[in-house]
């Protein structure tokens, strides 16, 4: 699946697709989307999201914190832009799949 295809999926289809992806595929899509949105290297996003998740217990608020961290890297993109939200999800899932450190169930 191409990154542009992910952007065209319904929310439910996107969620299912991301759940089935391996970490490498999540990262590849996140890298492509970051480039399309004019953002930084994926590694910067990954580390900033990782650091954000390391700061506290999992909660629904933590998801908004991750989105805010990602949005900080894209000042010219509207915070409500769906592509930015999907990028936040891809980076979050990539961090989870790479580290296996975080319990995301408390966030969702």
């Amino acid at each position: 699946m191409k990154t542009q295809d992910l952007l065209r999926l319904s929310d439910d289809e996107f969620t299912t697709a991301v759940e089935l992806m391996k970490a490498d595929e999540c990262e590849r899509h996140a890298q492509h989307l970051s480039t399309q949105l004019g953002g930084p290297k994926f590694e910067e996003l990954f580390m900033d999201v990782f650091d954000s998740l390391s700061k506290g217990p999992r909660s629904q608020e933590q998801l908004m914190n991750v989105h805010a961290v990602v949005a900080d890297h894209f000042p010219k993109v509207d915070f409500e832009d769906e592509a930015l939200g999907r990028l936040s999800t891809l980076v979050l899932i990539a961090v989870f799949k790479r580290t296996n450190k975080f319990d995301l169930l408390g966030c969702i």
Side-chain angles (χ1 to χ4, degrees), residues 6 76 83 85 92:
L6 274 179
K76 295 180 181 179
L92 176 68

Short mmCIF file of all heavy atoms in Angstrom, two decimals, residues 6 76 83 85 92:
data_model
loop_
_atom_site.label_atom_id
_atom_site.label_comp_id
_atom_site.label_asym_id
_atom_site.label_seq_id
_atom_site.Cartn_x
_atom_site.Cartn_y
_atom_site.Cartn_z
N LEU A 6 -3.13 5.28 2.15
CA LEU A 6 -3.47 5.34 3.57
C LEU A 6 -4.30 6.57 3.90
O LEU A 6 -5.21 6.53 4.73
CB LEU A 6 -2.21 5.38 4.43
CG LEU A 6 -1.54 4.08 4.81
CD1 LEU A 6 -0.29 4.35 5.63
CD2 LEU A 6 -2.48 3.17 5.55
N LYS A 76 3.46 25.02 9.68
CA LYS A 76 2.65 25.52 8.55
C LYS A 76 1.45 24.63 8.25
O LYS A 76 0.66 24.95 7.37
CB LYS A 76 3.52 25.65 7.31
CG LYS A 76 4.60 26.70 7.46
CD LYS A 76 5.44 26.82 6.23
CE LYS A 76 6.51 27.87 6.47
NZ LYS A 76 7.40 28.03 5.32
N ALA A 83 -4.07 14.58 7.66
CA ALA A 83 -2.76 13.98 7.35
C ALA A 83 -1.84 14.08 8.56
O ALA A 83 -1.09 13.14 8.85
CB ALA A 83 -2.13 14.66 6.13
N GLY A 85 -2.80 14.16 11.71
CA GLY A 85 -3.30 13.18 12.67
C GLY A 85 -2.88 11.76 12.33
O GLY A 85 -2.49 10.98 13.20
N LEU A 92 3.39 7.13 16.49
CA LEU A 92 3.07 6.50 17.77
C LEU A 92 3.16 4.98 17.67
O LEU A 92 3.79 4.32 18.52
CB LEU A 92 1.67 6.92 18.22
CG LEU A 92 1.13 6.29 19.49
CD1 LEU A 92 1.92 6.78 20.70
CD2 LEU A 92 -0.34 6.61 19.66
#
